[in-house]
Amino acid sequence: MASPQYILSLDQGTTSSRAIIFDMEQNIVSVGQKEFEQIFPQPGWVEHNPMEIYNSQLDSIYSALEEQHIPPSAISCIGITNQRETTIMWDKSTGEPIYNAIVWQCRRSAPLCEELIASGMGETIRKKTGLLPDAYFSSTKIRWILDNVPDARRRAEAGEILFGTVDTWLIWKLTGGKVHATDYTNASRTMLFNIHTLEWDKDLLKLLNIPECILPEVKNSSDNYGTAVINGVEIPITGVAGDQQAALFGQCCFEKGEAKNTYGTGCFLLMNTGDEPIQSKNNLITTIAAGINGKVTYALEGSVFVGGAVIQWLRDQMKFITHARESETMAQKVADNGGVYLVPAFTGLGAPYWDMYARGCLIGITRGTTPEHIVRAAEESIAYQTADLLDAMVKDTGIPLKSLKADGGASADNFLMQFQADVTGVPIQRPAIRETTALGAAYLAGLYTGIWKDTNEISSSWKLKKQYLPQMDHKDRSHLLEQWHKAVRSSMGWAR
Ligand code: ADP
């Protein structure tokens, strides 16, 4: 039998399930991908079918193995990274879901969150969990299922029902129902986990009327999660982390003060804050970055709702471009933004503004304004929003940033990366491997099985593809940011 030569990373995302096979030198040797249905039962509601999530994940594994004729026996271990917060509940004895997965984007439990805030519980929730009470997080989704699915509460209280985020669901299915567990990073997104005591919080469970017996065991991100049986071959699952935390790990941000930004549909900026959970004064979230050998590291997190999506808007709605990549060349056709600013607050503004009534705003237009200026303003908006998050993080931590690591689809855009370096005054680094999320899960899995000795050994293998150094002078940078903030103020409160 062949000795294990590969690590299998399962990247269970919001729109597709992917399986990525890495060799021991961290090269991607094969990728399998399967999309699945997005279910919108009502405006603002988003669901997935849990069986489809599982089956699409299995399909992606088989296609990745088959594509390169890799036998399952050549896989040494499995790492799992997943869309976070999405909530699944199922029958413990049959393995049948009792309801669809309620996806992180789903707003159905917003009224319950508003009640929690109105009753003055916001600060308590924040102190215990590091989160701002919001329908994104799992706890109010669990409560919705308990209250609305016939017989769910009685059965849950009788110990017949289990809850899990997507990692937990996949582990349970892959181990044939033997393991009901999650890792610290995923637990920290449920709004039920006390990130200081590292336990499910009894007060919050009581407040939300959720029985503790449905909750999974919380383990290290690098740990023994049982074995998956793939084509009759048993493969240990040894790494688990939520997608953004996995990306932070895959970018080797192991030291306090190191940060990464993922430029996808939205942007997710996470900074490692070491063993200290920092409570933000600027509306950022405190979360667990990873748990290894019983030791937890924390992170500050901020997100931008519309990041790369503004480029999709230019393409699909404005028809200024036909492919996302054209935005880069078009932005470079003009010497500057011509005084035009675009605030893409299409669905309100996230951190640090948190204004759900803000709406998109295009301002500074003159007779000389061309589509190129507007494309440039859109590209610049991604960088300004990130600069605002970074600024909030530096204020909260007091740690000046040495560099920012970039990944995600829009990190391919050279204009955007250079402009990001210019407006933040910080070097931007793009790694050789863009699949940082999957790589992070592979690192976590391989750390447990001894493929890597420790994070130092992993760090030494991180490869830089391109670095963008700040070139703009201080005066120009201040002027642009000042104008940007003026534009942001114009967009705020618009839909109130
Ligand atoms: P997600 O994981 O959120 O689906 P991806 O990481 O795949 O997102 O990134 C896709 C986003 O990046 C899209 O919003 C797209 O508009 C943007 N994008 C992709 N390529 C480029 C590019 N070359 N220049 C600018 N934006 C891009």
Side-chain angles (χ1 to χ4, degrees), residues 27-47:
N27 301 303
I28 294 173
V29 289
S30 191
V31 180
Q33 176 160 5
K34 183 91 197 258
E35 291 194 5
F36 52 85
E37 193 192 358
Q38 306 292 311
I39 304 164
F40 306 109
Q42 288 187 28
W45 290 30
V46 190
E47 296 177 359

Side-chain angles (χ1 to χ4, degrees), residues 245-307:
Q245 281 90 340
L248 187 71
F249 207 82
Q251 286 273 28
C252 298
C253 296
F254 302 133
E255 299 297 321
K256 183 174 172 171
E258 292 182 327
K260 70 90 197 174
N261 192 27
T262 300
Y263 296 84
T265 308
C267 293
F268 286 91
L269 182 59
L270 271 77
M271 182 195 270
N272 183 329
T273 63
D275 50 19
E276 195 188 353
I278 293 177
Q279 190 171 332
S280 174
K281 293 186 182 67
N282 296 286
N283 290 320
L284 302 172
I285 281 167
T286 312
T287 199
I288 295 180
I292 293 171
N293 294 332
K295 191 175 161 289
V296 151
T297 44
Y298 294 92
L300 271 179
E301 171 174 328
S303 49
V304 162
F305 299 150
V306 177

Side-chain angles (χ1 to χ4, degrees), residues 430-442:
R430 191 170 61 206
I433 298 185
R434 289 247 309 272
E435 298 284 358
T436 53
T437 308
L439 184 61

Side-chain angles (χ1 to χ4, degrees), residues 41 110 114 129 140 164 206 250 263 265 335 374 386 441 457 475 491:
E114 275 158 30
T129 66
T140 58
K206 203 163 152 209
Y263 296 84
T265 308
I374 295 173
T386 301
E457 192 181 337
K475 220 171 99 245
S491 79

